[in-house]
Amino acid sequence: MKKKLKVGVIQFNPKSYNYEHNLSKAINLSTKALKEGAKLIVLPELFDSGYCVEDKDRDFSIDFKSKHPTLQALKKLTKEYEAYIIACSIERDKNLYDSAYIIDKEGKIEIYRKIYLWGDESKRFSRGNKYPVFELDFKEFKIKIGLQICYEVGFSEGARFLALQGAKIICYTAAYSKIRSYAWDLASRARALENGVFVLAANRCGNEFSKLSKKELHFGGKSKIINPKGEVIKELLEEEDFIISELDLDEVKEQRKTIPYLKDLNLKLNRNMLKKIHLKIKE
């Protein structure tokens, strides 16, 4: 039986502090993608608060155990369309985190906390310390996916850890800058090719003003869906819109046979090298 999955990637311009606008835009675009048959949706980084709310991070943070309006709105969609939505918001636990999360049709939430924080994010958020893989049930089949956030697209080891745990799809939710779009383009394709996975990369577009750097930030858009060969299947430019593609998940197995990076990876050597490097750093 062919394993096929229709996915949607959302791109828009979240505005600082404008929660109602941001949530409305996200729900509207997600609904359109869901109506076209998407069963897995990916939204950009900090889609509901906006990226540059540095002075109000706690005010815009979410306790994922609460009935926060963001969670309630997304749960309503996942239930109605029997789908999964991957989003990214400021999480409030003991500390604040930049967290990606999956909501299923039952309203269950799975969380990934950003490990590699970019620039001033280290002044705002605590770091995550785990690479969890999540198994999603699409009735006819189950599929394992991994989550990463923005800057982490450039850290190949993160995607590799997820692939080695069985992930066949890696989702990047991002607020990636326009000036560094060359890195976004190349790294997202590289992560797909070197691990033989599909990559769903949801970046935001538009501008916001950072209170920490005192600079206008320009975000690059260019959200994309990439196959296990590293080929871009669908891509947006800088407009607010969504893209949809039906993935043939059997392509993962075929590509991993064609170029067996994971099979031939020397884990023992890597472990030994990491130990040596760690000892040198400590000296």
Side-chain angles (χ1 to χ4, degrees):
M1 180 185 71
K2 287 279 186 179
K3 296 179 180 178
K4 295 197 174 183
L5 176 65
K6 190 170 281 191
V7 299
V9 172
I10 309 300
Q11 176 172 295
F12 74 103
N13 175 19
K15 300 183 183 300
S16 302
Y17 311 109
N18 199 336
Y19 173 81
E20 289 76 13
H21 167 86
N22 297 339
L23 186 58
S24 175
K25 180 72 73 170
I27 295 300
N28 180 48
L29 289 170
S30 296
T31 299
K32 288 180 179 179
L34 290 164
K35 284 182 176 179
E36 290 192 21
K39 290 298 180 183
L40 176 62
I41 298 289
V42 187
L43 290 163
E45 183 181 13
L46 305 187
F47 82 99
D48 52 347
S49 61
Y51 183 77
C52 296
V53 294
E54 301 99 327
D55 56 333
K56 299 280 186 182
D57 280 337
R58 183 159 291 276
D59 292 345
F60 281 92
S61 64
I62 298 175
D63 176 354
F64 286 131
K65 299 182 182 67
S66 72
K67 294 184 178 181
H68 190 279
T70 289
L71 304 179
Q72 295 300 96
L74 296 180
K75 285 179 181 180
K76 182 179 179 182
L77 277 185
T78 59
K79 182 177 181 181
E80 180 177 354
Y81 291 95
E82 296 188 338
Y84 291 86
I85 293 180
I86 294 170
C88 180
S89 302
I90 300 172
E91 179 194 359
R92 181 176 72 256
D93 194 14
K94 292 179 181 178
N95 300 309
L96 297 183
Y97 298 91
D98 184 344
S99 295
Y101 51 101
I102 306 171
I103 300 181
D104 69 12
K105 63 182 179 180
E106 305 299 331
K108 183 181 177 183
I109 300 175
E110 301 281 6
I111 302 167
Y112 166 74
R113 292 169 172 169
K114 190 174 186 178
I115 294 170
Y116 291 106
L117 300 174
W118 166 259
D120 289 332
E121 289 174 0
S122 60
K123 299 175 183 177
R124 305 170 61 188
F125 309 122
S126 295
R127 297 178 184 274
N129 57 12
K130 296 178 181 178
Y131 286 102
V133 167
F134 308 102
E135 186 171 71
L136 308 189
D137 189 346
F138 293 98
K139 293 183 180 179
E140 292 86 4
F141 57 86
K142 295 180 181 179
I143 188 79
K144 290 182 178 179
I145 75 161
L147 305 181
Q148 294 277 268
I149 303 174
C150 198
Y151 182 42
E152 296 180 322
V153 74
F155 291 85
S156 59
E157 65 272 20
R160 180 57 52 85
F161 292 149
L162 297 172
L164 288 171
Q165 293 179 81
K168 292 181 170 58
I169 299 174
I170 298 178
C171 301
Y172 290 89
T173 170
Y176 214 94
S177 68
K178 185 174 182 178
I179 196 172
R180 298 178 184 85
S181 286
Y182 63 91
W184 172 254
D185 290 339
L186 179 58
S188 57
R189 293 183 60 200
R191 300 298 82 84
L193 173 63
E194 66 199 8
N195 294 295
V197 296
F198 285 99
V199 164
L200 311 184
N203 193 27
R204 61 159 294 170
C205 54
N207 309 320
E208 284 191 62
F209 184 79
S210 170
K211 287 59 171 189
L212 291 175
S213 68
K214 307 299 182 185
K215 294 179 181 179
E216 188 84 13
L217 303 184
H218 303 275
F219 300 97
K222 302 187 79 172
S223 298
K224 58 198 76 183
I225 299 171
I226 306 167
N227 71 17
K229 294 180 180 180
E231 299 169 336
V232 177
I233 305 170
K234 291 280 183 72
E235 182 176 24
L236 292 166
L237 296 177
E238 294 182 46
E239 70 273 26
E240 294 186 314
D241 206 349
F242 66 93
I243 46 176
I244 281 185
S245 183
E246 185 174 65
L247 310 184
D248 182 350
L249 298 173
D250 290 331
E251 289 181 23
V252 172
K253 184 177 181 180
E254 290 304 312
Q255 179 58 24
R256 288 179 178 179
K257 285 182 181 178
T258 302
I259 308 182
Y261 291 127
L262 299 182
K263 176 178 174 290
D264 291 340
L265 184 65
N266 190 329
L267 289 173
K268 183 178 180 180
L269 174 61
N270 286 346
R271 281 195 298 269
N272 290 336
M273 285 301 300
L274 285 170
K275 287 178 182 178
K276 289 179 182 178
I277 291 168
H278 180 66
L279 288 173
K280 285 184 178 180
I281 291 171
K282 290 178 70 177
E283 289 175 356

